């Protein structure tokens, strides 16, 4: 019997780290669908595909030689023979990814790929923006992980600082996070929970508390 834990949420809600921790604790597989959109974007830029050319982007995504591990402790993403695990987190990808994510054909191709990965697993924690609603609406546990804009900005700030070693200005960060939310909301509505989806607001929770709150829902 397959067990699927579906978690959606906006940028900075903490869903990646929370889902990885939960998957690790349960010995489950883990799927970061955002990483797939990022890898698709990396490939389009690498192939010099014009992101405004909808058909060209769809063709590139169709032939995308993507290899994504489902091990929550060793997330490795390769495009062809290139390890893009780190490159897909670069700001140039974050800035362009919504363009690929709002391409209908590209989106459908990636959704199909996500469903295949989920089908192949017996037990998986899958996270993104439309997992609870589109990719795996039949999941046994469906959670929308939210956080106030303030909390999300704070987390993103800490994350970027840790990654780059240099503090970005608050204002630039704020613009980036809110801009991407706005662009993403055109592709899927992840700010409101659909029927049957539980809202977990992490604004005032520590990381551990958020992980435990999600675990409680799985144990039930
Ligand atoms: O960096 P952050 O956690 O905000 O985003 P991510 O989970 O890495 O996802 C990157 C981008 O992929 C998002 O900004 C969306 O444009 C897109 N995405 C999507 O459209 N649908 C999903 N299920 C997951 C990600």
């Amino acid at each position: 019997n397959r067990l699927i834990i579906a978690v959606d949420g906006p940028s900075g809600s903490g869903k990646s780290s929370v889902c990885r921790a939960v998957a690790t604790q349960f010995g489950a597989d883990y799927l970061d669908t955002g990483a797939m959109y990022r890898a698709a974007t990396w490939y389009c830029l690498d192939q010099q595909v014009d992101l405004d050319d909808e058909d060209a982007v769809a063709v590139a995504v169709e032939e995308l030689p993507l290899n994504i591990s489902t091990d929550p402790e060793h997330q490795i993403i390769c495009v062809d023979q290139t390890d893009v695990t780190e490159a897909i987190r670069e700001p140039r990808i974050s800035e362009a990814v919504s363009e690929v994510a709002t391409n209908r054909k590209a989106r459908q191709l990636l959704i199909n790929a996500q469903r295949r990965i989920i089908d192949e697993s017996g037990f998986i924690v899958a996270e993104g923006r439309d997992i609870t609603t589109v990719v795996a609406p039949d999941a046994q546990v469906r959670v929308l992980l939210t956080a106030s804009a303030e909390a999300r900005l704070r987390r993103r700030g800490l994350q970027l600082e840790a990654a780059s070693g240099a503090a970005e200005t608050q204002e630039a960060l704020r613009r980036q996070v809110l801009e991407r939310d706005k662009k993403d909301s055109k592709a899927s509505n992840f700010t409101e929970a659909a029927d049957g989806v539980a809202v977990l607001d992490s604004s005032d929770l520590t990381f551990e508390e958020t992980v435990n709150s999600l675990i409680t829902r799985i144990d039930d």
Side-chain angles (χ1 to χ4, degrees), residues 7-16 30 32-38 41 88-89 93-94 96-102 107 110-111 114 127-132 135 152 156 159 177 180-181 183-185 187-188 190:
V7 179
D8 287 326
S11 188
S13 58
K15 61 184 188 310
S16 293
Y30 164 72
D32 175 358
T33 60
M36 295 175 72
Y37 286 94
R38 287 173 175 275
T41 305
I88 61 169
R89 305 290 160 192
I93 304 295
S94 303
V97 66
S98 302
E99 196 117 29
V100 173
T102 50
R107 204 171 174 83
L110 289 172
I111 288 171
Q114 291 156 16
E127 54 121 323
R129 301 285 197 284
D130 59 350
I131 312 305
T132 63
V135 177
R152 295 191 292 119
R156 269 288 113 125
Q159 226 172 300
V177 172
R180 191 140 59 89
D181 277 2
K183 288 191 215 157
D184 283 344
S185 63
S188 54
F190 52 83

Side-chain angles (χ1 to χ4, degrees), residues 129-197:
R129 301 285 197 284
D130 59 350
I131 312 305
T132 63
T133 53
V134 179
V135 177
D138 55 339
Q140 287 84 350
V141 179
R142 296 156 77 209
V143 171
L144 178 67
L145 188 59
T146 61
S148 64
E150 195 194 17
R152 295 191 292 119
L153 284 165
R154 196 171 58 231
R155 288 179 191 147
R156 269 288 113 125
L158 293 175
Q159 226 172 300
L160 282 185
E161 266 177 58
S164 67
E168 291 235 0
T169 70
Q170 272 305 100
E171 188 48 35
L173 247 178
R174 195 184 172 73
R175 264 204 316 274
Q176 273 175 32
V177 172
L178 300 183
E179 256 309 295
R180 191 140 59 89
D181 277 2
K182 204 168 97 198
K183 288 191 215 157
D184 283 344
S185 63
K186 286 183 204 147
S188 54
N189 185 356
F190 52 83
T191 49
E192 271 170 53
D195 266 0
V197 177

Side-chain angles (χ1 to χ4, degrees), residues 18 21 25 205-215:
V18 168
Q25 283 203 36
L205 300 182
T206 64
F207 175 71
E208 289 303 327
E209 287 168 340
T210 312
V211 168
N212 287 333
S213 173
L214 184 56
I215 285 176

